[in-house]
Every structure is written in structure tokens, then in C-alpha cells.
């Protein structure tokens, strides 16, 4: 019942044709021409990066924004962990008191 069934290869049905014979064709080489010699292209000199006070202010502002966003996310994750730990501790105290209190109750 749990043994896998391996499929068998079916036998060919009917008459099979022999493989076709491929006839080789002649390859004629094309004439190769050399391109005319050209002068080497000199890449243009890279422009120097000019730092302006506005670009410095933009970079500092973007960095500050990134630091504030990452800090907010990390603090919120820490706060969520602290709240979760406190709620688990409260639940543990309640469960412990419920388990030990039936011995002390009298109705």
C-alpha cells in the first residue's frame, strides 16, 4: 500500500523510421576587410565635484532625518518589548494566584 509505483517505459508502437542523414554543406569564407585606422579617443576629464553650502546643508538634513527615523523605530521596538514583558509578568502573577488560591478559599 505504501510502496511507490515506478512507471514503466512504454514500448514504441508502430514502425519507427531510421534517423535522417544530414548532408554537409560547403562553407565559403567571406572577405575580411580591415577598418580604417582612427585616432584614439581621449575620454573627457572628469568634472570636479563642487560642494556648496546648500548641498552640505541638504546632506546634513538628510542624515539627521535618517538618524531620527531609525532611532524612533528602535525605541518603539524596545517599548513594545517592555510592554509585552510587563503584560506577561502580570499574567504570570494572576495565574499563580489563581492556582494557589483554591486552597485558601472557603465558601
Amino acid at each position: 500500500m505504501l510502496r511507490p509505483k515506478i512507471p514503466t517505459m512504454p514500448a514504441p508502437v508502430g514502425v519507427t523510421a531510421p534517423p535522417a542523414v544530414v548532408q554537409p554543406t560547403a562553407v565559403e569564407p567571406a572577405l575580411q576587410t580591415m577598418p580604417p585606422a582612427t585616432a584614439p579617443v581621449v575620454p573627457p576629464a572628469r568634472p570636479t565635484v563642487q560642494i556648496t553650502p546648500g548641498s552640505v546643508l541638504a546632506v546634513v538634513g538628510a542624515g539627521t532625518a535618517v538618524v531620527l527615523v531609525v532611532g524612533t523605530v528602535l525605541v518603539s521596538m524596545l517599548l513594545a518589548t517592555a510592554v509585552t514583558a510587563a503584560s506577561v509578568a502580570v499574567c504570570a502573577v494572576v495565574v499563580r494566584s489563581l492556582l494557589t488560591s483554591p486552597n485558601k478559599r472557603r465558601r
Side-chain angles (χ1 to χ4, degrees):
M1 180 172 126
L2 297 177
R3 292 185 182 178
K5 295 182 180 180
I6 300 172
T8 58
M9 187 73 170
V13 179
V15 179
T16 58
V21 178
V22 178
Q23 297 293 334
T25 58
V27 177
E28 297 178 11
L31 295 176
Q32 295 182 357
T33 58
M34 296 293 289
T38 58
V41 178
V42 178
R46 291 187 176 184
T48 57
V49 177
Q50 296 178 355
I51 299 176
T52 62
S55 64
V56 170
L57 186 61
V59 169
V60 169
T64 304
V66 167
V67 167
L68 289 176
V69 168
V70 169
T72 303
V73 169
L74 292 177
V75 167
S76 65
M77 288 171 53
L78 180 64
L79 183 62
T81 305
V83 168
T84 304
S87 66
V88 167
V90 169
C91 289
V93 169
V94 169
V95 168
R96 182 179 176 198
S97 70
L98 287 175
L99 291 175
T100 57
S101 65
N103 298 334
K104 296 179 183 177
R105 279 193 200 166
R106 295 182 189 179
R107 283 193 187 190

